[in-house]
Short mmCIF file of all heavy atoms in Angstrom, two decimals:
data_model
loop_
_atom_site.label_atom_id
_atom_site.label_comp_id
_atom_site.label_asym_id
_atom_site.label_seq_id
_atom_site.Cartn_x
_atom_site.Cartn_y
_atom_site.Cartn_z
N ALA A 57 134.14 -4.27 210.13
CA ALA A 57 135.30 -4.57 209.26
C ALA A 57 136.61 -4.55 210.06
O ALA A 57 137.51 -5.33 209.83
CB ALA A 57 135.35 -3.54 208.08
N GLY A 76 136.97 -4.90 222.67
CA GLY A 76 136.73 -5.02 224.04
C GLY A 76 136.56 -3.71 224.81
O GLY A 76 135.73 -2.89 224.56
N GLY A 91 124.01 11.72 222.35
CA GLY A 91 122.75 11.97 223.06
C GLY A 91 122.43 13.49 222.95
O GLY A 91 121.31 13.81 222.80
N LEU A 124 131.43 22.05 217.41
CA LEU A 124 132.88 22.35 217.28
C LEU A 124 133.54 22.54 218.64
O LEU A 124 134.64 21.99 218.84
CB LEU A 124 133.04 23.71 216.52
CG LEU A 124 132.53 23.70 215.05
CD1 LEU A 124 132.67 25.09 214.43
CD2 LEU A 124 133.27 22.66 214.22
N ASP A 154 147.91 -2.17 222.59
CA ASP A 154 147.14 -1.99 221.30
C ASP A 154 145.91 -1.11 221.60
O ASP A 154 145.48 -0.30 220.71
CB ASP A 154 146.82 -3.32 220.70
CG ASP A 154 147.93 -3.89 219.95
OD1 ASP A 154 148.86 -3.18 219.55
OD2 ASP A 154 147.85 -5.16 219.68
N ILE A 161 144.61 7.38 218.64
CA ILE A 161 144.32 7.83 217.19
C ILE A 161 142.85 8.13 216.99
O ILE A 161 142.49 9.13 216.37
CB ILE A 161 144.82 6.70 216.26
CG1 ILE A 161 146.28 6.50 216.35
CG2 ILE A 161 144.39 7.07 214.77
CD1 ILE A 161 146.87 5.37 215.52
N PHE A 167 136.88 15.20 216.15
CA PHE A 167 136.19 16.25 215.46
C PHE A 167 135.36 15.79 214.32
O PHE A 167 134.11 16.16 214.17
CB PHE A 167 137.24 17.32 215.02
CG PHE A 167 136.63 18.35 214.03
CD1 PHE A 167 135.93 19.45 214.57
CD2 PHE A 167 136.90 18.27 212.65
CE1 PHE A 167 135.36 20.37 213.71
CE2 PHE A 167 136.37 19.15 211.79
CZ PHE A 167 135.60 20.23 212.27
N ASN A 169 134.23 12.71 213.73
CA ASN A 169 133.08 11.90 214.23
C ASN A 169 131.97 12.72 214.71
O ASN A 169 130.75 12.44 214.40
CB ASN A 169 133.63 11.00 215.33
CG ASN A 169 132.63 9.92 215.72
OD1 ASN A 169 131.56 9.81 215.21
ND2 ASN A 169 133.05 9.04 216.67
N LEU A 179 119.94 16.40 209.45
CA LEU A 179 119.31 16.00 208.24
C LEU A 179 118.10 15.07 208.45
O LEU A 179 117.10 15.20 207.82
CB LEU A 179 120.36 15.35 207.28
CG LEU A 179 121.39 16.23 206.67
CD1 LEU A 179 122.48 15.44 205.96
CD2 LEU A 179 120.85 17.21 205.70
N TYR A 190 123.77 7.53 201.90
CA TYR A 190 124.73 7.54 200.82
C TYR A 190 126.15 7.73 201.34
O TYR A 190 127.10 7.13 200.84
CB TYR A 190 124.42 8.63 199.85
CG TYR A 190 123.03 8.56 199.21
CD1 TYR A 190 122.36 9.70 198.79
CD2 TYR A 190 122.37 7.32 199.10
CE1 TYR A 190 121.08 9.60 198.25
CE2 TYR A 190 121.10 7.26 198.49
CZ TYR A 190 120.46 8.38 198.11
OH TYR A 190 119.24 8.34 197.59
N GLU A 240 118.42 23.36 199.63
CA GLU A 240 117.56 24.43 199.14
C GLU A 240 116.30 24.41 199.99
O GLU A 240 115.14 24.18 199.51
CB GLU A 240 117.27 24.24 197.66
CG GLU A 240 118.53 24.37 196.83
CD GLU A 240 118.11 24.24 195.33
OE1 GLU A 240 116.95 24.03 194.94
OE2 GLU A 240 119.05 24.42 194.46
N LEU A 245 122.73 25.34 205.84
CA LEU A 245 123.81 25.80 206.76
C LEU A 245 124.62 26.90 206.07
O LEU A 245 125.09 26.78 204.89
CB LEU A 245 124.79 24.65 207.07
CG LEU A 245 126.06 24.99 207.80
CD1 LEU A 245 125.71 25.49 209.25
CD2 LEU A 245 127.04 23.76 207.91
N VAL A 260 118.20 23.09 223.12
CA VAL A 260 118.93 21.89 222.73
C VAL A 260 119.43 21.01 223.93
O VAL A 260 119.26 19.84 224.00
CB VAL A 260 120.10 22.24 221.79
CG1 VAL A 260 121.03 20.96 221.57
CG2 VAL A 260 119.63 22.78 220.46
N ASN A 286 136.24 -8.95 231.92
CA ASN A 286 137.70 -8.99 231.85
C ASN A 286 138.37 -9.96 232.80
O ASN A 286 139.42 -10.51 232.52
CB ASN A 286 138.26 -7.59 232.09
CG ASN A 286 138.05 -6.62 230.90
OD1 ASN A 286 137.70 -7.09 229.76
ND2 ASN A 286 138.15 -5.33 231.09
N LYS A 301 129.63 -6.72 218.33
CA LYS A 301 129.57 -6.42 216.90
C LYS A 301 128.40 -7.18 216.21
O LYS A 301 127.75 -6.66 215.30
CB LYS A 301 130.87 -6.83 216.17
CG LYS A 301 132.11 -6.15 216.73
CD LYS A 301 131.98 -4.66 216.59
CE LYS A 301 133.31 -3.92 217.14
NZ LYS A 301 133.16 -2.41 217.07
N ILE A 346 107.85 -7.03 215.01
CA ILE A 346 107.95 -7.98 213.87
C ILE A 346 109.40 -8.12 213.45
O ILE A 346 109.95 -9.20 213.30
CB ILE A 346 107.05 -7.59 212.74
CG1 ILE A 346 105.57 -7.72 213.18
CG2 ILE A 346 107.24 -8.51 211.53
CD1 ILE A 346 104.62 -7.07 212.20
N LEU A 383 121.60 -15.27 225.53
CA LEU A 383 121.21 -13.81 225.76
C LEU A 383 120.28 -13.33 224.69
O LEU A 383 119.31 -12.60 225.00
CB LEU A 383 122.43 -12.95 225.88
CG LEU A 383 122.25 -11.46 226.27
CD1 LEU A 383 121.51 -11.34 227.57
CD2 LEU A 383 123.58 -10.79 226.31
N LEU A 425 125.16 -6.87 239.36
CA LEU A 425 126.58 -7.36 239.19
C LEU A 425 127.18 -7.51 240.56
O LEU A 425 127.86 -8.61 240.78
CB LEU A 425 127.38 -6.40 238.34
CG LEU A 425 126.93 -6.39 236.83
CD1 LEU A 425 127.66 -5.22 236.13
CD2 LEU A 425 127.34 -7.65 236.17
N ILE A 448 112.03 -4.87 234.13
CA ILE A 448 111.56 -3.88 235.12
C ILE A 448 111.45 -2.50 234.44
O ILE A 448 110.40 -1.78 234.61
CB ILE A 448 112.64 -3.70 236.27
CG1 ILE A 448 112.65 -5.07 237.07
CG2 ILE A 448 112.26 -2.59 237.17
CD1 ILE A 448 113.79 -5.12 238.06
#
Side-chain angles (χ1 to χ4, degrees):
L124 297 175
D154 279 343
I161 296 174
F167 169 77
N169 189 358
L179 289 171
Y190 301 151
E240 295 183 357
L245 173 67
V260 169
N286 287 344
K301 302 299 181 182
I346 292 171
L383 187 57
L425 291 170
I448 296 171

